[in-house]
Amino acid sequence: MVEYSDSIDLSDYRALRASGVHGTLGLINIGSDLFLCVISRAVRVATVRPNETVHQILAVEFYCLSSNGYDLEHHQDFDPYCTDVTNPYSHSPGYVEEAAPEHPCQELKGILGTGTFYYSGDFDLTNRLQDRLLEESAFDIDSLDNNYLWNQYMINPLIRFRARLAKNEKESLDSSRILTSTIRGFVLTITIPPLAAPTKSIKGNLPSGLTLISRLSCRRAGTRFNSRGIDDDGNVANFVETETIFWHPSGFCFSYAQIRGSVPLFWEQATGLLPGQQKIQITRSVEATQPAFDKHFESLEADYGTVYILNLLSESRPGEAELTARYSYHVQRSPLNQTAGLLANSEKRLLDVQFDFHAETRGVGYEAASMVKRLVERQADSFAYFLCEEAPNQDVKAGPLRALAMIQQDGAFRTNCLDCLDRTNLIQTILSQMALELFLQRRGDKAMPDFWARHSGLWADNGDALSRIYAGTGALKTSFTRHGKMSLAGAFADARKSATRLYMNNFVDKGRQNTIDMLLGRLMTQSAVHLYDPITDHVNAELNRRLNEYSTSNTIKIWVGTFNLNGKDVGVQQDLTPWLCPEEEGRKPEIVAVGFQEIVELSPQQIMSTDPIRRQAWENAVKKTLNGKALRSSSEIYVLLRTGQLVGAALMIFVKSGVLDKIKNVEGTVKKTGMSGVAGNKGAVAIRMDYANTRLCFVTAHLAAGFANHEERNRDYRTISQGLHFQRNRSIDDHDAVIWAGDFNYRIELSGDKVRRFVKGGDLDALYQNDQLNLQMVAGRTFPYYSESRITFAPTYKYNNGTDDYDTSEKARIPAWCDRVLRKGDMLKQISYATAPLRFSDHRPVYATFQCMINVIDEQKKEELSQRIYAQRRAVVGDATANGRNGDVDYEDLTGYEAISPELPPASSDRRKWWLDGGLPARSDLQVSEGKPSLNDRRPRNPFTPTSEPDWVMVPSAPSVSRRTEDYSPGNATASPDARVGTRGVPPPFGYQRPMPADKISAQLNPSLATDTPVSRDVSQTSQPSVTPSMTRKFAPPVPKKPSLLSDSNQKRSGHDLETDDNSSRLTSGLGSLINPERHDSDLPTTCPPPLQRTHRDGSIPSSVQRGEITPQVIRITSVEAIGDEGPPLPPRSTGISSQATLELMDDDYEGAQAIPTLQPQRRG
């Protein structure tokens, strides 16, 4: 539970750290523990402008809020007399070390303490100067740029909590600066002495400042070989915004921003100890790449204006040349590059130029890199820069001076090489110098060489910092960046860095990537922190209940096929329509997943490497078949979404072009199982995606061969299922729907003759009963929780090539269903399972079609609905909070308990029970028929109290007349004191109003009774009345009906009638509701209690009854002393002997007169 308060007495608390904390980075869940991250050590590294400082984080601490098991690490006892130190590398003498559990946040502490994270308590560090100039007077957390907010995952729970505060509380919290926004990258200010400054100051010998701020994006953050290219949201790896800021004491401030980022294509690069092993693979087709490519540059154009691409990749190196060609292809087809006419070149918002860095500098040296100036000079002049100057402020409260924007930057250069590190940093240094020279030239100033040397050194430090984050070492070519020439020592340093990078990329980067994902909350095992808020709990419950208001469900069709090609390529030229486009399928599928095995011959030379040539040929063949059918039927064409290959196994995912915008987070991976995981002749290829809000995974596998090797095949499945992981530690089971298709190699455990005989006779059930995969799945040894549709086709292995005859070679292999399709997921419904007559392989292709229910959540509608529900609930509960400052506020008052359906009562709680109305006994409206037995409600509540009351009494069937009643309230002077003491009260009925005195009612209804002598109510006598024959016999209890719920939420009840002390008298449960003559029939209950027999103490019948004026009824009164204080017992069975009774009258002939229904015993607190 978190609550903001500025009035809590902290005198009883001790400080978290003796040296204090510099800020709060947020909250994070690690396992089952909740940790608070605070900045424990920081140093100021930059002063951008006066009163705008930046601090570098040097150390952080994680304090566990849910356990004290890690407190020892933060509070070690100091013994000044201790000189024994067992560990020479541990603390200095004087510290007594105790064994403490390993801190689960140790890796996070390491990465946050590397010196690459920065924060500012004075201004918004996530935005460049041009964007934050208008908001410099207020440091608004809501304006932070989440692209560069690295502690977004940890700080979000506190930001959401802040959003729920009142305005004054929000302002007070912001002024404390306890919520810290952090960027990652590089920040440094170097002081320029007055003599070295390019512009002379009019304010004397005051120094100026040159600042460099590099903001690394956290959207697609990662390490070198684990984060490449672009994602479906348009985010690219290693994307950095670098801003050069020059502040002068005369009052002006110069700013120039440029960006770098990975090539915006879907591509990957494998790690390897040798440079030749680091092959580049483009994983998506041009059609599937263009939407994400356009998203990326549309976002850049919105933020920076015109974007000028400066591509430094080689045009001749393998891999880089392919990326360059595809890059240019997508630029030409970008909407930002389209013009309306021949004279509209200046209106293009996306421009590009190719500068082959290695080709231009080969044989000449890095000095030739300055030739890039002539390529971008005209565009750099049109982009300009940002310039602001100080001016007097009309608002005195805001300060004497304010900054006015004089010139704005209208475009940005986007520079990239393969890693966006070494070559990119060198070129960006040149571009920054060009912008500063342009600014100084327009002012009529000129910088000295000392100024440019400081500028180059600043950029060299920037390159080293960014390279350590992404590649693990400092940048290459920094010798030239710093000094303008390459030295021998610099060359040796570059060689050492390259060797270190190989080690880091192959053995360390996996762990670094996992830590980055943990910091950003991207691991599948992580759970976000939810601060305890009763109103938010109510909002979440309402959102779940009203799911259909912001979500929809769509049904898509998925086609999945598998084909073992036996290493043959002759089928590439054949018609694949019977397999890929069967006529009976009707509606064309949105997703087509094609799995191949033995796409190449599994020779000893092939099993250790992957040849993409054969796979690309089959990609074209499948695409040609699918789109040929689509064009003939005038439907949407298919595009290749993603492909993957492991030696002979390949998986291709094709989707309709119209659904590309619904698919995100497409990833692929492989797992080897051949030769104990060394060779790729056996293994699996998997591709996963998010289709709207549903996670799909497709796997094609080629498992171990051999008739008797089913246990090895089971092990292969377990190896793949447990060892195959996507990014962010996703596994196959972390998906909503999973489909396996491949050559699983499970055989039929029968002889070849029997199998052929069963196949010829069409007895497939007999074969399936002996199928190894079926038997192993039933035994739970493989593919648990997967399902397979009924097999209606003959075994698919092994045929003679080109025929429909099973193997007639010397080996005569037993036919088997080696090729299978299995599924898992409640949203999958299989609609077909068949094979196709393609005969160029010894296997037959198999395919299956599915209907898949896709959940689509409109996040914008969900957020709007959430805010509306929160505002409504907050209006109901007001300012009620959990700390009790506004009184004793019940948690239920904050959350609310509303009925989920009109016909159902609200949910129960610890204090409210739907079966007890306002804490009163539940009332039954069960009506007993005349002449039937009824439960005697005059028995004591305490079942252990001795009583002679019978369990059941008979309901007479005599005519109804009214009974005279009296007011038993304590203030009634006419009531007998003895009667008040000896009666047992019950709560009044719902809608109860104080009735008229009983004698007045009787007088109005029956004047002849008004002169009767009142009946004595002295219960101290011990005489027993006579019992009528109808009461001496017990009858079987009636079958009760379920009582209906009677709510008293809108009823009003007199507190004087409800609240009585132990000495006050109460009406017995047999008394009816006292009659108010002014009430209408519709206001009264509709049920009537059974008429009761009435006698005198001596057992005689009153004369009025003898005359037929009233019906015999019985009213028993028991003293409160006999009730006892034991809880709410049920009435026990008795001996049937009647006890004392008194006489009462009620005229049932009076229109609308009714009595209280039978009451259950009331519980006492």
Side-chain angles (χ1 to χ4, degrees):
M1 186 70 174
V2 175
E3 183 172 2
Y4 179 80
S5 176
D6 52 6
S7 60
I8 295 179
D9 184 11
L10 300 178
S11 58
D12 294 335
Y13 296 83
R14 63 175 175 81
L16 191 64
R17 289 176 49 85
S19 57
V21 297
H22 300 272
T24 302
L25 296 184
L27 301 166
I28 189 170
N29 279 325
I30 304 295
S32 59
D33 292 323
L34 173 64
F35 292 90
L36 171 69
C37 181
V38 299
I39 302 172
S40 58
R41 194 155 59 94
V43 61
R44 188 174 68 180
V45 294
T47 302
V48 180
R49 295 189 299 169
N51 301 321
E52 289 186 354
T53 60
V54 181
H55 290 76
Q56 181 184 34
I57 299 176
L58 300 180
V60 299
E61 293 291 344
F62 285 85
Y63 292 90
C64 186
L65 304 182
S66 57
S67 172
N68 60 358
Y70 308 101
D71 292 350
L72 183 62
E73 180 175 328
H74 307 292
H75 308 287
Q76 296 197 6
D77 298 329
F78 182 77
D79 183 1
Y81 303 102
C82 178
T83 58
D84 298 331
V85 179
T86 58
N87 184 1
Y89 300 100
S90 64
H91 297 288
S92 59
Y95 283 96
V96 179
E97 294 193 0
E98 298 183 20
E102 181 180 356
H103 203 288
C105 302
Q106 194 63 39
E107 295 177 351
L108 292 177
K109 291 173 63 176
I111 190 174
L112 290 170
T114 55
T116 59
F117 290 87
Y118 301 85
Y119 74 95
S120 174
D122 304 322
F123 68 100
D124 180 8
L125 190 56
T126 64
N127 282 293
R128 57 179 176 154
L129 180 61
Q130 178 171 326
D131 294 334
R132 63 181 173 86
L133 180 63
L134 299 178
E135 301 176 358
E136 64 178 350
S137 59
F139 181 60
D140 190 2
I141 294 179
D142 296 328
S143 64
L144 298 176
D145 190 343
N146 291 330
N147 289 321
Y148 308 108
L149 185 61
W150 272 74
N151 63 325
Q152 177 184 1
Y153 176 73
M154 294 195 294
I155 204 71
N156 261 348
L158 297 176
I159 292 180
R160 289 195 298 266
F161 166 76
R162 171 188 172 275
R164 300 192 292 263
L165 296 177
K167 183 178 180 180
N168 59 331
E169 293 179 336
K170 187 182 298 184
E171 293 175 352
S172 178
L173 180 63
D174 291 347
S175 63
S176 69
R177 297 291 189 265
I178 192 65
L179 300 182
T180 307
S181 58
T182 304
I183 69 167
R184 193 181 193 192
F186 175 78
V187 181
L188 184 63
T189 295
I190 58 174
T191 302
I192 307 297
L195 296 179
T199 300
K200 304 304 178 184
S201 174
I202 61 176
K203 295 184 179 181
N205 294 328
L206 296 179
S208 54
L210 181 63
T211 304
L212 199 62
I213 302 177
S214 287
R215 305 174 182 92
L216 176 63
S217 173
C218 61
R219 294 298 190 187
R220 190 168 170 79
T223 54
R224 185 183 181 194
F225 287 97
N226 295 292
S227 181
R228 293 287 204 189
I230 195 173
D231 64 14
D232 292 282
D233 292 322
N235 304 309
V236 297
N238 200 24
F239 182 82
V240 183
E241 176 191 77
T242 303
E243 183 179 14
T244 305
I245 301 175
F246 177 67
W247 175 83
H248 196 269
S250 61
F252 71 82
C253 188
F254 163 90
S255 170
Y256 185 75
Q258 49 186 319
I259 52 180
R260 69 174 74 181
S262 183
V263 178
L265 306 174
F266 292 95
W267 62 283
E268 298 173 354
Q269 188 176 15
T271 59
L273 295 176
L274 300 177
Q277 296 177 341
Q278 301 171 354
K279 294 184 177 180
I280 296 174
Q281 178 186 4
I282 298 179
T283 58
R284 286 207 201 177
S285 63
V286 292
E287 299 89 350
T289 302
Q290 193 69 46
F293 184 91
D294 294 339
K295 285 182 183 179
H296 174 69
F297 283 101
E298 287 171 0
S299 175
L300 295 184
E301 192 272 337
D303 292 338
Y304 302 100
T306 303
V307 180
Y308 197 97
I309 300 172
L310 191 55
N311 183 22
L312 308 180
L313 291 177
S314 173
E315 294 180 305
S316 57
R317 288 187 176 184
E320 290 192 19
E322 186 179 1
L323 287 176
T324 297
R326 287 285 297 273
Y327 200 173
S328 300
Y329 176 88
H330 289 291
V331 169
Q332 296 301 320
R333 284 156 180 78
S334 172
L336 298 176
N337 197 35
Q338 306 302 318
T339 57
L342 296 176
L343 301 179
N345 291 334
S346 59
E347 297 180 3
K348 289 184 178 181
R349 307 294 289 173
L350 180 62
L351 307 171
D352 69 319
V353 64
Q354 176 68 28
F355 184 78
D356 190 340
F357 184 90
H358 289 300
E360 296 292 342
T361 59
R362 185 180 298 115
V364 181
Y366 294 144
E367 294 82 357
S370 58
M371 291 189 298
V372 73
K373 291 182 179 180
R374 58 182 177 83
L375 297 177
V376 300
E377 184 176 4
R378 185 178 65 86
Q379 203 63 45
D381 185 70
S382 64
F383 286 168
Y385 44 82
F386 175 76
L387 179 66
C388 65
E389 293 186 0
E390 294 179 352
N393 196 349
Q394 298 178 356
D395 187 2
V396 180
K397 296 181 179 180
L401 299 175
R402 62 190 178 111
L404 294 179
M406 308 302 294
I407 303 175
Q408 290 195 357
Q409 184 176 345
D410 296 328
F413 286 98
R414 186 194 189 280
T415 310
N416 72 269
C417 55
L418 193 64
D419 298 322
C420 301
L421 296 176
D422 314 317
R423 290 173 277 179
T424 298
N425 194 74
L426 179 57
I427 296 299
Q428 284 194 331
T429 304
I430 297 174
L431 296 178
S432 175
Q433 182 175 342
M434 289 178 62
L436 278 168
E437 288 176 343
L438 178 63
F439 161 69
L440 296 175
Q441 180 182 357
R442 291 180 178 181
R443 290 182 61 90
D445 296 325
K446 185 178 181 180
M448 304 296 291
D450 181 63
F451 176 83
W452 295 123
R454 297 173 187 269
H455 174 269
S456 299
L458 190 62
W459 270 95
D461 294 338
N462 174 72
D464 285 337
L466 296 179
S467 181
R468 290 190 187 96
I469 295 174
Y470 191 59
T473 69
L476 308 181
K477 308 175 181 64
T478 53
S479 176
F480 177 82
T481 306
R482 294 180 186 276
H483 310 294
K485 60 181 180 179
M486 196 65 183
S487 62
L488 182 60
F492 279 113
D494 288 350
R496 176 179 53 82
K497 293 175 183 178
S498 298
T500 306
R501 282 186 182 182
L502 285 177
Y503 171 79
M504 296 287 293
N505 300 154
N506 285 274
F507 302 106
V508 180
D509 279 357
K510 284 289 185 181
R512 294 174 61 215
Q513 181 69 50
N514 188 75
T515 305
I516 292 173
D517 291 337
M518 182 187 300
L519 176 64
L520 299 176
R522 295 174 178 173
L523 297 180
M524 293 299 298
T525 56
Q526 283 185 270
S527 59
V529 175
H530 297 284
L531 298 183
Y532 184 80
D533 182 358
I535 300 181
T536 302
D537 292 344
H538 172 77
V539 172
N540 293 335
E542 280 294 296
L543 288 176
N544 293 333
R545 188 172 66 87
R546 300 166 65 175
L547 179 65
N548 59 344
E549 296 186 24
Y550 56 87
S551 67
T552 58
S553 296
N554 300 327
T555 301
I556 65 170
K557 187 175 180 180
I558 301 176
W559 183 98
V560 178
T562 177
F563 196 179
N564 188 316
L565 299 173
N566 195 25
K568 309 296 182 184
D569 59 351
V570 294
V572 174
Q573 305 300 328
Q574 294 193 15
D575 184 14
L576 304 178
T577 302
W579 178 43
L580 299 174
C581 307
E583 294 295 336
E584 68 275 7
E585 292 304 311
R587 170 188 168 187
K588 300 304 177 186
E590 280 76 11
I591 300 177
V592 175
V594 184
F596 289 109
Q597 301 82 44
E598 298 188 32
I599 201 170
V600 296
E601 294 184 3
L602 300 181
S603 61
Q605 295 79 14
Q606 291 276 9
I607 64 175
M608 301 304 295
S609 62
T610 298
D611 184 8
I613 303 300
R614 191 74 63 85
R615 186 204 73 230
Q616 294 171 358
W618 280 103
E619 287 175 3
N620 296 331
V622 172
K623 184 177 179 181
K624 179 180 178 181
T625 303
L626 292 175
N627 288 335
K629 183 73 172 180
L631 293 175
R632 289 192 296 270
S633 59
S634 300
S635 59
E636 292 182 77
I637 63 172
Y638 288 90
V639 299
L640 179 62
L641 180 67
R642 172 82 191 223
T643 184
Q645 183 179 359
L646 175 64
V647 186
L651 179 61
M652 309 165 191
I653 305 294
F654 294 85
V655 298
K656 285 184 176 179
S657 58
V659 302
L660 280 173
D661 58 336
K662 301 181 179 66
I663 299 175
K664 294 182 179 180
N665 300 326
V666 182
E667 300 173 18
T669 186
V670 298
K671 184 63 178 180
K672 299 177 182 179
T673 59
M675 299 176 61
S676 300
V678 176
N681 60 319
K682 295 294 187 289
V685 182
I687 295 176
R688 59 95 50 207
M689 70 181 72
D690 291 339
Y691 194 110
N693 296 96
T694 302
R695 299 167 298 177
L696 306 178
C697 181
F698 301 91
V699 185
T700 186
H702 194 188
L703 305 185
F707 182 86
N709 290 341
H710 57 84
E711 285 297 338
E712 187 175 351
R713 288 186 277 274
N714 294 347
R715 285 194 298 271
D716 285 353
Y717 161 76
R718 290 191 294 269
T719 300
I720 296 170
S721 179
Q722 299 172 8
L724 189 147
H725 291 280
F726 301 95
Q727 293 182 11
R728 302 171 188 174
N729 205 29
R730 289 192 184 100
S731 65
I732 294 176
D733 292 334
D734 293 326
H735 293 83
D736 302 313
V738 183
I739 301 177
W740 285 64
D743 182 1
F744 300 154
N745 262 321
Y746 285 94
R747 308 305 171 90
I748 298 175
E749 294 185 342
L750 293 174
S751 65
D753 294 337
K754 284 187 177 181
V755 171
R756 287 176 170 83
R757 185 166 65 252
F758 284 136
V759 171
K760 187 175 182 180
D763 192 357
L764 300 181
D765 290 341
L767 296 178
Y768 191 71
Q769 292 175 3
N770 293 275
D771 177 69
Q772 288 181 350
L773 179 58
N774 175 43
L775 296 174
Q776 296 298 311
M777 290 177 66
V778 170
R781 298 189 180 99
T782 189
F783 290 100
Y785 308 109
Y786 283 86
S787 301
E788 182 182 28
S789 290
R790 181 183 179 88
I791 297 180
T792 58
F793 48 87
T796 58
Y797 172 85
K798 171 181 180 144
Y799 289 90
N800 294 326
N801 289 339
T803 70
D804 289 329
D805 300 328
Y806 287 109
D807 187 18
T808 57
S809 66
E810 182 179 352
K811 294 183 178 180
R813 293 181 178 85
I814 301 174
W817 285 301
C818 292
D819 310 281
R820 313 289 274 268
V821 178
L822 305 178
R823 71 183 186 277
K824 181 173 72 171
D826 295 335
M827 65 284 303
L828 287 175
K829 178 182 178 182
Q830 190 163 345
I831 55 180
S832 70
Y833 195 20
T835 185
L838 299 181
R839 301 177 176 84
F840 55 83
S841 173
D842 58 352
H843 289 252
R844 290 291 181 266
V846 174
Y847 67 90
T849 53
F850 302 87
Q851 287 181 348
C852 183
M853 187 67 66
I854 298 296
N855 296 322
V856 182
I857 296 178
D858 191 327
E859 296 295 341
Q860 182 177 357
K861 286 185 178 180
K862 181 179 179 181
E863 181 63 24
E864 293 174 355
L865 179 61
S866 175
Q867 294 178 359
R868 189 163 62 249
I869 296 173
Y870 191 95
Q872 293 172 353
R873 194 63 200 170
R874 188 62 181 264
V876 173
V877 303
D879 295 329
T881 56
N883 62 5
R885 287 179 294 174
N886 299 328
D888 186 13
V889 180
D890 185 10
Y891 168 76
E892 300 168 14
D893 297 334
L894 299 179
T895 58
Y897 285 84
E898 300 178 0
I900 61 175
S901 182
E903 65 273 8
L904 296 177
S908 301
S909 67
D910 291 339
R911 294 183 56 179
R912 295 190 179 101
K913 306 290 190 297
W914 62 263
W915 60 89
L916 296 179
D917 290 323
L920 297 177
R923 302 169 184 270
S924 171
D925 60 356
L926 180 65
Q927 184 174 1
V928 183
S929 303
E930 296 180 353
K932 299 292 185 181
S934 174
L935 185 66
N936 185 4
D937 56 0
R938 296 161 187 81
R939 293 180 53 80
R941 299 180 182 181
N942 190 346
F944 301 101
T945 302
T947 180
S948 57
E949 284 283 354
D951 290 340
W952 302 91
V953 294
M954 190 60 143
V955 180
S957 57
S960 301
V961 295
S962 65
R963 291 185 300 170
R964 182 169 57 85
T965 60
E966 293 184 2
D967 188 358
Y968 285 92
S969 63
N972 184 11
T974 63
S976 172
D978 296 334
R980 289 197 299 269
V981 174
T983 58
R984 178 163 59 94
V986 295
F990 294 101
Y992 170 74
Q993 298 181 6
R994 183 175 299 281
M996 296 175 60
D999 55 349
K1000 293 183 180 181
I1001 297 175
S1002 302
Q1004 292 181 10
L1005 298 179
N1006 195 344
S1008 62
L1009 296 179
T1011 59
D1012 289 352
T1013 303
V1015 180
S1016 174
R1017 303 184 183 278
D1018 186 3
V1019 297
S1020 62
Q1021 303 179 22
T1022 58
S1023 61
Q1024 300 291 334
S1026 62
V1027 182
T1028 60
S1030 62
M1031 295 182 59
T1032 58
R1033 178 185 176 188
K1034 288 188 177 181
F1035 289 84
V1039 178
K1041 297 181 182 179
K1042 182 179 181 180
S1044 61
L1045 177 64
L1046 299 176
S1047 175
D1048 66 336
S1049 58
N1050 297 322
Q1051 301 290 344
K1052 294 182 180 180
R1053 185 176 289 115
S1054 172
H1056 178 72
D1057 297 319
L1058 292 175
E1059 298 177 2
T1060 58
D1061 54 26
D1062 293 341
N1063 297 324
S1064 63
S1065 61
R1066 293 190 176 185
L1067 296 175
T1068 63
S1069 58
L1071 289 176
S1073 60
L1074 302 180
I1075 303 172
N1076 186 355
E1078 298 178 359
R1079 294 180 61 183
H1080 298 286
D1081 295 346
S1082 59
D1083 298 331
L1084 297 175
T1086 58
T1087 59
C1088 180
L1092 305 176
Q1093 184 177 358
R1094 179 181 177 186
T1095 62
H1096 283 299
R1097 289 190 182 89
D1098 57 0
S1100 61
I1101 305 294
S1103 59
S1104 59
V1105 177
Q1106 294 177 359
R1107 294 193 303 268
E1109 299 174 2
I1110 35 181
T1111 303
Q1113 300 183 7
V1114 175
I1115 297 180
R1116 307 294 184 186
I1117 301 178
T1118 306
S1119 63
V1120 295
E1121 289 80 358
I1123 296 177
D1125 295 328
E1126 293 80 355
L1130 293 176
R1133 302 186 67 86
S1134 66
T1135 59
I1137 302 175
S1138 301
S1139 62
Q1140 305 172 12
T1142 59
L1143 300 179
E1144 279 298 310
L1145 295 176
M1146 174 174 279
D1147 188 359
D1148 289 340
D1149 291 337
Y1150 176 71
E1151 183 178 7
Q1154 301 294 338
I1156 302 176
T1158 304
L1159 298 177
Q1160 296 179 1
Q1162 183 177 7
R1163 298 182 181 269
R1164 295 188 175 184

